[in-house]
Amino acid sequence: EGGLPKAETLKRIKELKGCSIDWLLTGEGEPFPEQSAQAARDTLGNPVNADDFVYVPRYAIEAAAGHGSLVTNETPMFTMAFRKDWINSIISQEVSGLSVISVKGDSMEGVLNDGDTILVQKMNYIRRDGLYVLRINDNLLVKRLQLMPGNVVNVISANDAYPSFEIRLDSESDD
C-alpha cells in the first residue's frame, strides 16, 4: 500500500486517459504530450498553425449606421483570429491598430446591416473614398466618405432616409 502502481495499472491509465507514463511515475514532463503537440483545427477538421493568424480584439462597441452610438466601454471582450496573409493583403500599416466592432442601425442598409461585424483599422486620416468609422465627440458613425476639393469630406449614408452632410477638415469646430 502507498507504493508505486503496477506497470499494468500505469499502462491502463495511459490507454484510458492518454497521459504520459513518465508523468504518472515521476510527475515530470507534460501530462498529455500528444495533445500539446496537436495543431489547432479549423471547422473542417484540418490542422492549422496558430502562428499563421493575427488576433484582433473584439469590442462591445457599436458604430452607428444611423444616429451616433455613445462609446462607453472600450475593453475588449475577446479576440478574433484572421489569417496573417489576408490581413497583410488589405492593411497598409501595423496590425496593432485593428479592432472588431458591430454595426448598429439602418443608415447603411444594403452595404452594412444592423448587427454586422466589421474589422476596423485605426487611422487619423482619410486615404481615399470608402467606408469609414468616424469618431465625432464620443459617438461612432459608420459611413461612406467622399473626398471633395477644398478640404471637404462628404459623409454619405446608403439609406436615403439619412441625409448626407459635409465635414470641413480644416475646421477646428469639427472633431
Side-chain angles (χ1 to χ4, degrees):
E1 287 182 48
L4 290 174
K6 293 181 180 180
E8 284 302 315
T9 305
L10 291 174
K11 186 177 175 189
R12 185 77 177 128
I13 293 171
K14 176 184 171 40
E15 288 171 2
L16 288 173
K17 300 296 182 183
C19 57
S20 161
I21 289 180
D22 288 341
W23 178 78
L24 285 170
L25 278 172
T26 66
E28 296 174 3
E30 290 290 320
F32 301 98
E34 285 129 23
Q35 287 181 1
S36 54
Q38 284 182 348
R41 298 199 175 271
D42 65 15
T43 57
L44 300 174
N46 300 316
V48 294
N49 184 342
D51 292 337
D52 291 341
F53 293 85
V54 172
Y55 299 91
V56 178
R58 170 67 161 99
Y59 291 91
I61 293 174
E62 296 172 329
H67 300 291
S69 177
L70 186 63
V71 177
T72 57
N73 180 5
E74 292 199 30
T75 302
M77 299 184 304
F78 51 84
T79 60
M80 296 181 71
F82 293 87
R83 293 197 67 85
K84 278 184 185 176
D85 54 354
W86 181 76
I87 290 288
N88 290 334
S89 73
I90 63 165
I91 301 297
S92 63
Q93 59 192 75
E94 289 298 313
V95 296
S96 61
L98 295 177
S99 58
V100 177
I101 62 174
S102 295
V103 172
K104 175 97 174 132
D106 65 352
S107 77
M108 295 302 290
E109 194 73 36
V111 177
L112 293 173
N113 300 311
D114 188 46
D116 283 353
T117 300
I118 56 175
L119 177 66
V120 178
Q121 180 184 14
K122 184 178 180 180
M123 58 179 58
N124 292 321
Y125 60 92
I126 300 168
R127 186 171 48 208
R128 61 180 179 266
D129 293 0
L131 297 176
Y132 288 82
V133 174
L134 306 171
R135 183 186 297 258
I136 300 177
N137 299 320
D138 285 334
N139 299 297
L140 292 181
L141 301 172
V142 59
K143 300 289 181 186
R144 181 174 303 283
L145 300 185
Q146 180 184 30
L147 294 169
M148 301 299 289
N151 227 5
V152 172
V153 175
N154 278 339
V155 181
I156 305 164
S157 298
N159 183 338
D160 291 339
Y162 296 85
S164 297
F165 60 93
E166 290 183 349
I167 295 176
R168 297 196 57 78
L169 295 178
D170 53 6
S171 170
E172 291 183 27
S173 64
D174 287 334
D175 183 7

